[in-house]
Amino acid sequence: YLSGLERVCFYLADYFQKNAYPQDHVIVKQSYQTIANHIGVSQRTVVRAIRDLRARALCSMNGKQIRISREQAEGLSKIEF
């Protein structure tokens, strides 16, 4: 069983891996609600997880869109819970 934060980390790391080549960063185009539906958590859980990840410098924001650099994606893959 994965926590909401773990699910969001896994989703973002996977999204980066699938969409980053050849750039060094990726903008997640999905809304918080779409991400929540995809990973089976509430939108509120996604918002809280993103806020926590931003505090840890593991993602950044472009308006309402999530931005992940290559270094941040590596951090997402190695995060300790």
Side-chain angles (χ1 to χ4, degrees), residues 19 32 37 41 69:
N19 297 288
Y32 290 165
N37 291 343
V41 299
S69 69

Side-chain angles (χ1 to χ4, degrees), residues 37-54:
N37 291 343
H38 186 76
I39 62 175
V41 299
S42 71
Q43 181 178 349
R44 177 178 248 162
T45 299
V46 173
V47 170
R48 288 177 181 158
I50 296 299
R51 185 173 42 214
D52 187 26
L53 293 174
R54 285 179 63 199

Side-chain angles (χ1 to χ4, degrees), residues 4-57:
L5 179 59
E6 291 169 323
R7 289 176 188 223
V8 172
C9 286
F10 180 78
Y11 177 86
L12 294 177
D14 187 57
Y15 188 91
F16 181 86
Q17 185 178 21
K18 290 179 179 174
N19 297 288
Y21 186 79
Q23 320 82 288
D24 283 340
H25 73 278
V26 67
I27 303 290
V28 180
K29 297 186 183 344
Q30 283 76 16
S31 68
Y32 290 165
Q33 186 62 56
T34 303
I35 295 169
N37 291 343
H38 186 76
I39 62 175
V41 299
S42 71
Q43 181 178 349
R44 177 178 248 162
T45 299
V46 173
V47 170
R48 288 177 181 158
I50 296 299
R51 185 173 42 214
D52 187 26
L53 293 174
R54 285 179 63 199
R56 296 181 192 202

